[in-house]
Amino acid sequence: MDWSSIGNALSTGWDSVSGYATEAFNWIGDNPEAANLIGGIAAGVGQAYLQNEQAKDERAFKREMYERGVRDRQVNPGEIGDYGSYRNTLTKGLISNGMIAGGQ
């Protein structure tokens, strides 16, 4: 690998990039109205993109909140815990007033 040829290629590339940038800035200085127009268009496109991304995020957030609400309203029998505290009152006839279970 010849490092001097790589350095020369990078130098040549940098010179062409810096020359292009210099020409672009000179053009902007010579045409301020066109530069303002191009800048306004670029700013408008950027703002529209940002608003679209924010709207996507908001829709995703609302969808997630809706799904959580639906999930929270559903009964999950596997998550219901200890019924032991209710066992004695059910056998004494909480619902039937003791007539079916026979407890008084």
Side-chain angles (χ1 to χ4, degrees):
M1 181 179 290
D2 185 16
W3 291 104
S4 63
S5 64
I6 293 173
N8 289 338
L10 289 175
S11 176
T12 303
W14 177 252
D15 289 342
S16 64
V17 168
S18 64
Y20 178 75
T22 301
E23 287 178 28
F25 285 119
N26 287 338
W27 182 87
I28 289 172
D30 295 339
N31 302 296
E33 295 85 10
N36 283 337
L37 178 66
I38 292 170
I41 291 171
V45 168
Q47 186 176 14
Y49 175 77
L50 180 62
Q51 286 176 346
N52 188 34
E53 290 300 310
Q54 287 174 339
K56 282 182 190 177
D57 291 344
E58 186 175 348
R59 285 190 300 269
F61 177 75
K62 285 182 179 180
R63 183 174 35 253
E64 176 66 25
M65 290 298 105
Y66 174 77
E67 290 171 0
R68 280 187 186 185
V70 168
R71 210 171 34 239
D72 289 346
R73 287 189 298 272
Q74 292 175 344
V75 176
N76 297 320
E79 295 178 9
I80 297 175
D82 183 22
Y83 281 109
S85 62
Y86 300 106
R87 189 172 350 151
N88 294 334
T89 57
L90 288 174
T91 57
K92 290 182 183 174
L94 177 67
I95 296 173
S96 63
N97 199 20
M99 302 194 83
I100 295 174
Q104 293 267 359

